[in-house]
Each structure stands twice: as C-alpha cells, then as structure tokens.
Amino acid sequence: MNKIKIISSFLALTMTLSACSEKSEMTAGCFNFSTPVINSNSSDLEYIPVSHQTSDDVGSSSQKSETQTSKNEEVSSAPSKEASKTPSENSTQQAPSKTASKKTDSSQKPQKNSSEENKSNTSKENSSDKTSQETSSPNKDSSSEKNETQSEEPMDKPTENPVKSEPISSEIQQNSSYDSTDYNTTIPKGEIKAVWISYLDLNTILKGKSEGEFRSNIKYAFSNIVNMGLNTVIVQVRPFSDALYYSDIFPMSHIVTGTEGVDAGFDPLQIMIDYAHNYGLRLEAWINPYRIRNSGTKAEISADNPMYKIANKNNDHVFKYSGGISYNPASEEARQLIVDGVAEIVRKYPVDGIHFDDYFYPTTESSIDAKSYNEYQSNGGKLSLADFRRENVNILVRKVYSTIKSINPKVTFGISPQGNMDINYNSQYIDVEKWLSTPGYVDYICPQLYYGFDNKQCPFKETLERWNNMIRTDGVDLYVGIASYKIGTEDKWAGEKGKNEWINCDNMMKKMVLNGRQCSNYRGFFLFRYDSLFNPSANLKNHVAQEISNLKSIIQH
C-alpha cells in the first residue's frame, strides 16, 4: 500500500508540473536576456532607399526607413511552383567557358580577413543595406566569351557542423522562449528555405581572393547553409551595373577584384552554381536592375560600363540623386539593357531563378525624369507623373518575365519589395498589387517583412496577411522576407512596445515561419542575410545560435 501511495503521489506531482509547464508555454515567449542592447546604428544594416543592399549596397539597403522599408521589414514572398524543381531539372544549359584554368583548393577552411577588415565590413553593412529600408526613402571586361576548363577538384559534400559556435549560455537556455500557439504546422510541398548572400557578404568571401581561396570560402558558406536546413541561396550577381560573372554586356564587378572591369581569371557565378547544385541548393541570381552607384559606393566606374553607351548630356537615361547614380526607368534604352542582361544570365548559366530586390525609383524628386515626362506629355500622354513612373516599372517587369520564360520556362522570376505598401506605391512607384493580380509579372513575391509582431506601424502578422490576400492570380507564390540582421538588437523604428522584441525573444524567425505557413499562398521564407546568421558580432553569437536552433526545430526533417 505504501508503494502504491508513493507512486500515486509521484504521478500527481508529475501531472501538476506538466500542467504548469503547459501554461507557461502558452504565455508570450519573450524574456529578458543578458545579451547587451546594441545600438541600432551599429547593428542594423543600413539600407539605402533604392534596393536590398547596404550603404555600399547591401549596407545601403538596410538603411531604408520602416516607412519605406526595402528588402527588410515589410515584405514576404513565396517561390513559384517551378521553384520546387530540383536543381538538375534547371541545369540543362551549357555553362560559359573561361580562359583561365581553375586552381585546386588545398584547404576547405575559408580565408579569414584581419579583425580590422571584418569590423570595417560589418560597419559598412550595418549602415547601408537593411537599415535603408527602415530609415530612408527611395531617395567586365569581356567582349568575347571566355573559355572555361572544368576543375578537376572534387566537389566535396558539406562538412558536418562546420560553424564553430560558442555554447549557449545557461541563462539564455533557461529563458529560452518557445511559442506554443496552436499553429497549423502543415509544411507546404517544396518549401523554399532561403538566405540572401549580398555583395556585403561577398566582400569578405570573394573580394581580392584567388580562385582557390574563393572556392574554399564559398564551400564553407554553403556547408553552413545546408547544415542549417536551408535549400536555396539568393546571390547578388549584379549590384552596380556590373557582373560577378563573365558578361559581354557588363564589366566585372569591383566586388570581385577591388577594381571594376578587371578580370579575376575565374568566373564566380559559375563556381557558385556548381557548388550550390552539388550541395542540393537552388541558386537564384540577384540583380539590382537600375542602380549604378549609391552614395556609399566609391569604386570608380570603368570605361566599358554600359552606362556610358546610353547616357549623354542631351537625355536623362541616367541620372544622379543624393550621391548615387541610377538608370532612368523611363528610358527604353535602359530597360532594354536590363532585359538583355537578364537574358544573358539565363542563356549562359543554369540558374534556378532571377531575383530583383526593392531598388526601383530612388527618389521622389520630379527633376530626375523631367525630360522623359515632358516628352511623354508632348506625345499625348495623359498619366500623372506618379502613374507614369509606375507604368515604366511595370513595362520592365513584364519584359523581364516574358524574356525569361521564352528562354527557359523553368527559371523563376521574383521580386522582394519593401513590406510597407505605401512606400512601394508612392515612393518607389511600384504597383505590387497589379503584379499580384495580373498574370505575366512574377512567379513569386517576397516582401521584406522586417517587422516584429509588436511593431507599431506594420505588425508582422497583420502585414503578412495583407500581402497574402493581395495575391489574386494563379501561379504567384508568397515568400516571407525575415530580418535576421535584427536578432538581439534594438528595433528603433518599431515603437516603444516593439523596440526590444528582437532582444527579448529568441524564437522570432521560428514564429514568423509558423505564421507564414498559415497563409494560403505561402511557399517559403528568405533570411537577410548570410553574415547576420553565420558571422554575427561576438556579443550576439549566443542569441543568434539560439534563434537558429529554434528555427531548425521546424525546418529540418
């Protein structure tokens, strides 16, 4: 009898503890960590109002204001159904050849920069790309195709757990917040789990590196991505009217060698495609269509940049704004140049998709395209300046979509605009609602939903639902753009209630994906960006590691 009583008491105690645990899990999953608060000026990527980059480009894209968020805080998109195809299905095209023979890697460890260089890169990124969305408003030398010899180096499979992370502190473990909301956890077939690799990330991985060093670095990066459970990389291949590949149209980017127009002796895009597909990753080529330079990019423009072919003092095909330079969306010559550049990539490289970010009109100033608009009116045009600008962007998007499908229907085309619809429509002059209700524009939309759940202006869940409901045509998927760069930092644009949400919670990415899965058009998520996840500052490592661990619990099978 005593044994029975003891057992009964034990069972009762167990049930009580279980009930308490359940109850605690149902409460809001936010706790105060020991992680120090980081000044948002140094932790948030600055996004320039023109696109998904930083002050340099990605750095500049972070600088965008929340009211005009670019690729960061307000948008989410889903891959098209074609996106769920395996890399092999999209790899039927012939890769370009190149003259320089490839070097073999002697090591799989990435080449490290000096601590000073790393700090410099981090500072640049934080001040430009993501931040611009929150704080700003839309404000190669290859004339002949290179012959490429195939490398004899074996394509290694990703190493297990290549990222060395600090052990999670006991305090964060104890305060780990798990949201137990009754989500519909049905995972969509072919869910896209992507990470953006911006030119800021490539500044460390690629710039100034030998072919062997770059191969080692990119293999290491892709190993990290695969081991996290992701299946897609969105790699920036044309940040500034240039190319991270061999092109007959655009000069080799300064992101490759440090000087625009200088041949590195190897083809970065082809190498990334080879490794990505070998690791089972999809690869989409990320392009900034209009941007030539932003205020944070000081690299000299090479003489063979196509900008010079269409710009002269008698037209406004190219214009300057606030320290930046852009192609004019109203220019037919500029539009054709962009379309030809996309066609070149799709014909020469087995990419799985073409991706545009949120850099469209960089400013609302009426002077930038006054000549074009006056000419339009002289020819009988009746649209207002704002509608004229929106239609200019619509024309480009339609042409890019139709061009891609005419070359390879399996290649997807998607755009990641800012999450704030008012900014999109009235500051960047993009009619996203039209794209999502009319066939022939995009396969997917990935709004940069860089907001927390308590964001004052654009709370995540409500903004996500609005984007989902805007899709009213078949064949357009929704992907959710998530601000991984905000983990552990103050969200200065979120309002008093939401400013510490990324500091006090360790499962933001997980909750955002679970919310996405409840939307009828959801097909995946994109994380901004690589360094924010795999090279965070020392004081954020534990917090980032816990966020990744929580996300992996729902995406790895």
Side-chain angles (χ1 to χ4, degrees), residues 307-363:
M307 176 193 80
Y308 293 113
K309 296 178 182 178
I310 67 171
N312 63 62
K313 62 183 179 181
N314 297 317
N315 65 41
D316 59 357
H317 297 326
V318 173
F319 60 76
K320 293 183 178 181
Y321 66 95
S322 304
I325 307 173
S326 174
Y327 289 112
N328 184 353
S331 165
E332 286 189 29
E333 289 87 346
R335 284 198 294 263
Q336 192 57 51
L337 173 67
I338 294 164
V339 171
D340 290 345
V342 169
E344 180 183 49
I345 293 174
V346 177
R347 286 194 181 102
K348 291 171 64 175
Y349 295 90
V351 296
D352 299 289
I354 296 293
H355 179 84
F356 283 4
D357 58 18
D358 61 324
Y359 280 78
F360 294 98
Y361 274 88
T363 177

Side-chain angles (χ1 to χ4, degrees), residues 19-285:
C20 291
S21 175
E22 247 181 80
K23 183 177 180 181
S24 65
E25 286 185 351
M26 292 300 291
T27 61
C30 300
F31 299 82
N32 291 317
F33 296 157
S34 58
T35 307
V37 177
I38 303 305
N39 185 297
S40 55
N41 288 330
S42 64
S43 59
D44 279 356
L45 297 181
E46 298 297 344
Y47 209 162
I48 58 178
V50 186
S51 167
H52 194 80
Q53 329 277 101
T54 59
S55 58
D56 200 354
D57 179 13
V58 165
S60 58
S61 48
S62 347
Q63 299 171 337
K64 297 188 172 180
S65 71
E66 239 171 50
T67 55
Q68 317 182 44
T69 44
S70 147
K71 197 174 192 25
N72 295 324
E73 313 220 319
E74 321 173 274
V75 195
S76 68
S77 83
S80 74
K81 291 172 181 165
E82 290 297 336
S84 62
K85 308 266 181 160
T86 60
S88 60
E89 291 179 272
N90 291 327
S91 306
T92 56
Q93 305 167 63
Q94 225 173 359
S97 59
K98 81 178 180 74
T99 53
S101 59
K102 296 185 179 179
K103 304 173 187 176
T104 58
D105 294 351
S106 59
S107 167
Q108 292 205 21
K109 289 186 179 179
Q111 302 296 320
K112 304 280 186 181
N113 283 353
S114 68
S115 59
E116 291 79 7
E117 181 180 349
N118 286 332
K119 287 179 182 176
S120 174
N121 288 337
T122 301
S123 168
K124 281 183 183 177
E125 304 169 345
N126 290 342
S127 62
S128 38
D129 214 334
K130 294 294 173 187
T131 314
S132 64
Q133 309 179 38
E134 307 180 57
T135 62
S136 72
S137 41
N139 180 19
K140 230 144 148 337
D141 70 353
S142 69
S143 53
S144 60
E145 196 171 318
K146 319 252 178 187
N147 295 317
E148 176 180 7
T149 59
Q150 292 299 321
S151 168
E152 298 179 2
E153 176 197 21
M155 295 288 223
D156 302 332
K157 292 295 180 183
T159 56
E160 234 178 275
N161 301 319
V163 177
K164 294 180 180 179
S165 58
E166 300 292 327
I168 306 300
S169 72
S170 58
E171 182 170 355
I172 290 184
Q173 287 181 5
Q174 292 167 7
N175 288 333
S176 182
S177 54
Y178 292 92
D179 178 44
S180 61
T181 302
D182 186 18
Y183 293 110
N184 173 6
T185 56
T186 301
I187 301 173
K189 184 177 180 181
E191 183 178 40
I192 297 299
K193 298 168 285 188
V195 60
W196 277 293
I197 300 179
S198 79
Y199 80 85
L200 291 178
D201 302 307
L202 294 171
N203 272 335
T204 300
I205 295 171
L206 171 60
K207 183 182 283 187
K209 302 295 188 291
S210 68
E211 180 178 352
E213 290 170 335
F214 173 59
R215 284 178 174 274
S216 178
N217 289 346
I218 203 64
K219 285 192 296 182
Y220 184 83
F222 286 171
S223 291
N224 286 337
I225 291 165
V226 169
N227 282 310
M228 184 175 166
L230 306 180
N231 59 19
T232 299
V233 289
I234 313 297
V235 182
Q236 195 161 22
V237 300
R238 191 192 307 150
F240 301 107
S241 184
D242 53 6
L244 275 74
Y245 53 91
Y246 283 135
S247 171
D248 294 326
I249 302 172
F250 295 94
M252 188 68 80
S253 175
H254 72 277
I255 303 301
V256 182
T257 64
T259 303
E260 184 173 283
V262 174
D263 186 354
F266 60 91
D267 187 329
L269 177 56
Q270 186 59 54
I271 289 172
M272 288 189 285
I273 292 171
D274 290 343
Y275 283 124
H277 287 172
N278 185 66
Y279 286 6
L281 294 167
R282 296 177 64 258
L283 185 145
E284 296 193 17

Side-chain angles (χ1 to χ4, degrees), residues 30 179 183 453 505 507-515:
C30 300
D179 178 44
Y183 293 110
F453 293 90
C505 295
N507 60 353
M508 294 288 282
M509 295 191 297
K510 175 183 175 181
K511 290 197 296 182
M512 289 173 174
V513 171
L514 290 174
N515 272 269

Side-chain angles (χ1 to χ4, degrees), residues 73-76 183 419-421 447 449-470 478 480 497 501 511-512 515-516 518-519:
E73 313 220 319
E74 321 173 274
V75 195
S76 68
Y183 293 110
N420 187 308
M421 286 304 303
L449 298 182
Y450 298 158
Y451 310 108
F453 293 90
D454 294 328
N455 185 283
K456 182 178 180 180
Q457 182 180 358
C458 298
F460 180 87
K461 184 176 182 180
E462 290 80 356
T463 307
L464 169 65
E465 290 170 351
R466 182 182 178 190
W467 278 92
N468 183 66
N469 294 335
M470 278 198 299
L478 173 66
V480 180
K497 183 180 178 182
E501 192 173 5
K511 290 197 296 182
M512 289 173 174
N515 272 269
Q518 296 183 90
C519 294

